[in-house]
Amino acid sequence: MTVAVCLLAYSLLVLAIGPRLLRRSTATGHAPRAGILAWQAASWSVIGSWVLAGLTMTTTATVPTQGPGGLFHACLTVVREAVSPPHSAWLRLAGAAVAVGVATRAVGCLMHGWWVARRRRRRHLAVLRMIGRPRPGLGALVLDQVIEPVVYCLPGRAGRVVATAGALDRLTGTQLQAVLAHERAHLHGWHHLPLGAAQSLDRAFPGIALFRIAAVETARLVEMRADDVAARRYGCQQVAEALIALADGPAPRDALAAAGVETAQRVERMLSGRTHPLRAGWPSLTLVALFAVGPLVSVLLPILGMTVRYWGICPLPT
């Protein structure tokens, strides 16, 4: 039972201070890829701790009392005291409900969100194939009938980069290539996967600040990551100018548009330069490591505590 309490306490700690720590480490966007990983690690660490807590409440640890396993009987008894819940059918039922409910809700919303987004994108792509035309050397579908300046991509296996006639008229050649590189970075980096996961957890558990903020921050960081990829080839100045030119274009649903999220902050970031990504990513990577080992430490601490408490009760049998 102590293990379940420690897991729940860990999850409450992450929910309480996690958003503040993560926002502080990812606010500047100097290392967006590490920031994306940190938000994902925090969110799924909480889900994992809830499921593990429920499972430990339903599991009765058994230990051998004779034979070859008798050597470790006393030591395993210590572990059983730390892990096993009280002999209460109601607590076991509650633990099973928590484990199954949380896992089913999280995975169910994740799969449902993926299926709905995939269906919408397939319909969108079918329309694009009818009204769009490929431009030789551009690597994108062009919508000649649309005058709004928009460049976006439909992610997935059959992902496509789309540009409207309004965008082609407004952007210079280098700016257009920079925006197209931005969209290809979304496709090659599979950015829709962490974004979809964050949005699914927000829908699955509404009202929890960590999941709500993670969805918003992930959307911002994936755009910054694509900005960085484009800037390496075409320069920060060209990316910033392209974002400004496309700032008033509407972003299609279920698509990743170049100028759809936090455009002003991203332009300022491009114009001000960036810290070395390896150095800037250390705070986020440190948080990733802490969130990754958090549930494991929550399980081991009660067991180690019981071992210290009963130190010396594991003598070799005579």
Side-chain angles (χ1 to χ4, degrees), residues 187-207:
L187 296 179
H188 296 158
W190 294 83
H191 290 168
H192 64 293
L193 295 182
L195 180 57
Q199 293 171 345
S200 295
L201 287 183
D202 184 30
R203 290 192 300 268
F205 305 97

Side-chain angles (χ1 to χ4, degrees), residues 172-191:
T172 66
T174 306
Q175 292 171 358
L176 178 60
Q177 292 300 325
V179 173
L180 294 178
H182 171 105
E183 298 303 330
R184 295 190 190 102
H186 282 318
L187 296 179
H188 296 158
W190 294 83
H191 290 168

Side-chain angles (χ1 to χ4, degrees), residues 195-251:
L195 180 57
Q199 293 171 345
S200 295
L201 287 183
D202 184 30
R203 290 192 300 268
F205 305 97
I208 297 181
L210 174 64
F211 299 150
R212 183 182 68 253
I213 299 172
V216 175
E217 291 296 303
T218 302
R220 180 179 67 92
L221 291 170
V222 296
E223 294 299 335
M224 289 182 173
R225 171 59 184 168
D227 290 340
D228 289 350
V229 174
R232 291 196 192 109
R233 184 170 182 180
Y234 296 100
C236 294
Q237 183 72 28
Q238 296 297 326
V239 174
E241 292 176 355
L243 292 176
I244 294 173
L246 299 174
D248 58 341

Side-chain angles (χ1 to χ4, degrees), residues 41-68:
S43 299
W44 289 105
S45 177
V46 170
I47 297 298
S49 66
W50 288 347
V51 174
L52 286 175
L55 291 177
T56 57
M57 293 175 65
T58 63
T59 303
T60 302
T62 57
V63 295
T65 58
Q66 58 185 357

Side-chain angles (χ1 to χ4, degrees), residues 105-294:
R105 180 67 176 170
V107 176
C109 285
L110 183 65
M111 297 303 296
H112 180 263
W114 172 81
W115 181 77
V116 170
R118 182 173 180 268
R119 184 179 59 180
R120 289 173 177 168
R121 287 166 184 157
R122 291 180 64 180
R123 292 177 178 175
H124 193 151
L125 184 59
V127 174
L128 290 177
R129 286 171 175 167
M130 291 188 293
I131 66 176
R133 63 179 180 84
R135 177 73 65 89
L138 198 61
L141 289 175
V142 177
L143 304 180
D144 293 319
Q145 303 87 351
V146 182
I147 61 174
E148 290 84 359
V150 182
V151 180
Y152 66 93
C153 70
L154 284 177
R157 292 184 178 180
R160 292 289 188 276
V161 177
V162 182
T164 65
L168 298 184
D169 293 337
R170 184 172 296 190
L171 298 173
T172 66
T174 306
Q175 292 171 358
L176 178 60
Q177 292 300 325
V179 173
L180 294 178
H182 171 105
E183 298 303 330
R184 295 190 190 102
H186 282 318
L187 296 179
H188 296 158
W190 294 83
H191 290 168
H192 64 293
L193 295 182
L195 180 57
Q199 293 171 345
S200 295
L201 287 183
D202 184 30
R203 290 192 300 268
F205 305 97
I208 297 181
L210 174 64
F211 299 150
R212 183 182 68 253
I213 299 172
V216 175
E217 291 296 303
T218 302
R220 180 179 67 92
L221 291 170
V222 296
E223 294 299 335
M224 289 182 173
R225 171 59 184 168
D227 290 340
D228 289 350
V229 174
R232 291 196 192 109
R233 184 170 182 180
Y234 296 100
C236 294
Q237 183 72 28
Q238 296 297 326
V239 174
E241 292 176 355
L243 292 176
I244 294 173
L246 299 174
D248 58 341
R253 187 178 184 181
D254 296 316
L256 296 173
V261 178
E262 297 288 349
T263 304
Q265 183 187 20
R266 290 162 54 203
V267 170
E268 182 181 359
R269 174 175 175 268
M270 286 286 100
L271 295 177
S272 63
R274 296 164 294 152
T275 306
H276 193 278
L278 292 179
R279 185 186 307 169
W282 278 115
S284 296
L285 293 177
T286 301
L287 291 177
V288 171
L290 291 176
F291 293 136
V293 302

